[in-house]
Amino acid sequence: MTEEPLLSVRDLKKHYPIRKGLLNRQVGAARAVDGISFDIAPGETLGLVGESGCGKSTAATSIVRLEEPTGGEVIFNGGGRSGATRNADGTHPNDVTRFDDRELKAFRRDAQMIFQDPSSSFDPRMSVGGAVAEMLQIHGMSDRHRRRAIVEDLLERVGLSPEDYDRYPHEFSGGQKQRIALARALVLNPELIVADEPVSALDVSIQAEILDLIADLQSEFDLSLLFISHDMSVIREICDRVAVMYLGEIVEIGPTDRVFADPQHPYTEALLSAIPTPDPRSTAEGIELTGTVPSPTNPPSGCRFHTRCHRVIQPDDVDLDQSSWRGLLNLRDALAADSVDVDQIRENFRTGTDTGATPDAVKGQIRREFDLEETISSDEIESLLDAALDEALGDDLDAAAATLSERVTTPCEERVPQRTSHEPGHESACHLHERDRSAPPNPADD
Ligand code: ADP
Ligand code: MG
């Protein structure tokens, strides 16, 4: 990107305080957005993608300042103030996070937001034309006839008709309401639209129509677009570049075609493999994303994805089958979290067999639940595992976790990965790409 960006987000953070007790003391924070950075060029569409709960909506509302960011900068060069340089104190005159009320009002004209649920974004008692025209009124257009003419024209441009002006929201389908939301977002001639899952609430058959409309309007109005979705196939339709978000952080960013053709972060790989392929001959094996996004209140150390990663790194002197390695880490973490229910496993055995739950049978069952082979290929780790399982059967899960932790640790949990550049504009943050690391075999490549 050689052009000046329209929007530069720098190390943006939004932490929600967690309060407890009578004094409402802050006892922690949900780090919903935890230091994200990206640029959007004029006329460009950047996708922001990730599972539910990873912080996409919080990023959106923090950028347009519907929420107050906890830290970082949002530099917006709209309104003819481009080329501005920093103030003597290092702050930026175009930093949205520092705008006063007057500047914020001007910014709200230039940057509009569209939400997922078109039904909740309209007042049921106001005609849709009135809802769109209200924007013009708020921003100083007093001529009622002029307002109406502009809105009628815009309704046509979003695929409705001028006669729809006097109708009420309940008379429209979800897709039509999203068209009206687009008209309302466009009426002040903004430079940026932040669209948070704008098609996720719509029928699949309608989604493509609305995506096409957004793409058309974007080029017609020369808009920059931050397009948020949890759905990689929607991102592919509409975005020039894509940023992949996991647990408050951006783990990969790059041109959409490059990220899809050659994903660099295992999380991106997993999201891509979840897209259904229309080609039945495709041999790409799905990478299962197990578990849910961990809580942002207490994110995993090091690389935040290490608790779910199918490529999680083994220590230099360990060389196990990758799925056994994943299983050992999962077992270690489950033991440490006290979430291996040995009694329940024993009980299941009692009812299922007449031989009863011998220690070996219970240990075998735990291995199966964690995808571990009957015998781990490393003698050293096999004997640690066996000792840990004995401790687990003796109800000392902490000791079992400690025993496994003697050898079952990963570099991924020890250090935060740095961003690595793969090709111009394509970066990811994964230890596999840091120098002198070779990739472990990908279970899906075999
Ligand atoms: P996404 O849009 O990607 O689904 P969100 O931005 O809605 O994710 O949420 C990110 C995280 O922040 C979630 O863990 C969510 O529970 C938390 N969160 C969102 N809003 C609040 C809030 N007002 N107070 C506390 N936590 C919140
Ligand atoms: Mg959301």
Side-chain angles (χ1 to χ4, degrees), residues 155-177:
L155 287 174
E156 264 190 301
R157 294 224 243 173
V158 298
L160 298 168
S161 84
E163 292 81 65
D164 289 325
Y165 190 104
D166 295 308
R167 299 216 163 90
Y168 286 82
H170 74 266
E171 298 175 63
F172 295 92
S173 69
Q176 288 170 324
K177 271 186 237 175

Side-chain angles (χ1 to χ4, degrees), residues 89-387:
D89 65 358
T91 59
H92 199 289
N94 288 18
D95 182 356
V96 177
T97 70
R98 296 172 172 276
F99 278 176
D100 61 23
D101 289 351
R102 188 185 52 80
E103 292 169 312
L104 208 50
K105 188 174 178 192
F107 172 67
R108 294 256 156 82
R109 197 168 49 222
D110 293 333
Q112 296 289 326
M113 194 157 166
I114 295 175
F115 298 93
Q116 172 171 352
D117 181 4
S119 304
S120 65
S121 25
F122 290 96
D123 178 347
R125 292 157 305 180
M126 194 188 274
S127 73
V128 299
V132 179
E134 191 184 34
M135 301 285 283
L136 291 169
Q137 197 174 4
I138 291 170
H139 285 275
M141 187 182 288
S142 51
D143 181 341
R144 195 158 51 87
H145 298 290
R146 201 158 146 233
R147 289 201 303 262
R148 184 165 183 120
I150 290 173
V151 173
E152 284 182 348
D153 171 59
L154 208 46
L155 287 174
E156 264 190 301
R157 294 224 243 173
V158 298
L160 298 168
S161 84
E163 292 81 65
D164 289 325
Y165 190 104
D166 295 308
R167 299 216 163 90
Y168 286 82
H170 74 266
E171 298 175 63
F172 295 92
S173 69
Q176 288 170 324
K177 271 186 237 175
Q178 214 51 317
R179 290 175 189 272
I180 300 162
L182 276 164
R184 185 170 56 182
L186 291 169
V187 71
L188 294 171
N189 231 331
E191 295 183 71
L192 172 71
I193 288 189
V194 176
D196 188 3
E197 308 257 13
V199 300
S200 303
L202 305 177
D203 284 354
V204 177
S205 57
I206 308 294
Q207 287 190 4
E209 258 175 40
I210 300 295
L211 285 177
D212 284 347
L213 176 65
I214 292 175
D216 289 349
L217 292 170
Q218 192 215 1
S219 59
E220 188 182 337
F221 288 81
D222 197 26
L223 290 165
S224 297
L225 189 60
L226 177 60
F227 186 95
I228 296 173
S229 177
H230 66 276
D231 184 342
M232 275 290 200
S233 51
V234 168
I235 293 285
R236 179 171 48 196
E237 291 299 311
I238 190 154
C239 299
D240 302 311
R241 288 190 303 133
V242 58
V244 180
M245 200 167 171
Y246 186 76
L247 208 50
E249 299 178 332
I250 288 175
V251 298
E252 179 159 1
I253 187 166
T256 307
D257 53 348
R258 296 308 305 146
V259 171
F260 274 70
D262 195 13
Q264 297 294 323
H265 197 286
Y267 181 60
T268 312
E269 249 186 310
L271 287 180
L272 287 172
S273 84
I275 302 179
T277 55
D279 182 356
R281 292 162 307 172
S282 164
T283 54
E285 215 177 296
I287 300 161
E288 202 186 344
L289 252 183
T290 49
T292 50
V293 183
S295 161
T297 316
N298 186 20
S301 63
C303 170
R304 291 183 179 181
F305 187 54
H306 80 77
T307 58
R308 301 167 76 199
C309 183
H310 60 284
R311 289 179 183 269
V312 61
I313 297 170
Q314 309 186 25
D316 286 337
D317 54 351
V318 176
D319 187 20
L320 300 181
D321 172 67
Q322 187 63 24
S323 72
S324 299
W325 181 245
R326 178 70 271 166
L328 284 166
L329 288 164
N330 289 349
L331 174 60
R332 180 201 67 177
D333 292 344
L335 289 166
D338 241 4
S339 62
V340 180
D341 194 342
V342 178
D343 286 339
Q344 186 61 51
I345 293 169
R346 208 178 269 131
E347 197 54 41
N348 292 348
F349 256 90
R350 277 216 189 87
T351 50
T353 64
D354 28 69
T355 54
T358 64
D360 277 347
V362 176
K363 280 155 67 173
Q365 182 59 28
I366 296 176
R367 282 180 193 253
R368 277 190 294 282
E369 288 190 7
F370 286 87
D371 285 329
L372 299 168
E373 302 124 302
E374 261 168 55
T375 316
I376 299 288
S377 65
S378 148
D379 292 343
E380 188 198 2
I381 292 182
E382 172 57 33
S383 64
L384 273 181
L385 172 62
D386 196 55

Side-chain angles (χ1 to χ4, degrees), residues 16-18 30-33 50-59 67 196-197 228 245 247 294-296:
Y16 294 106
I18 295 169
R31 290 145 71 171
V33 173
E51 286 161 289
S52 175
C54 72
K56 304 179 298 297
S57 294
T58 305
E67 308 242 32
D196 188 3
E197 308 257 13
I228 296 173
M245 200 167 171
L247 208 50
S295 161

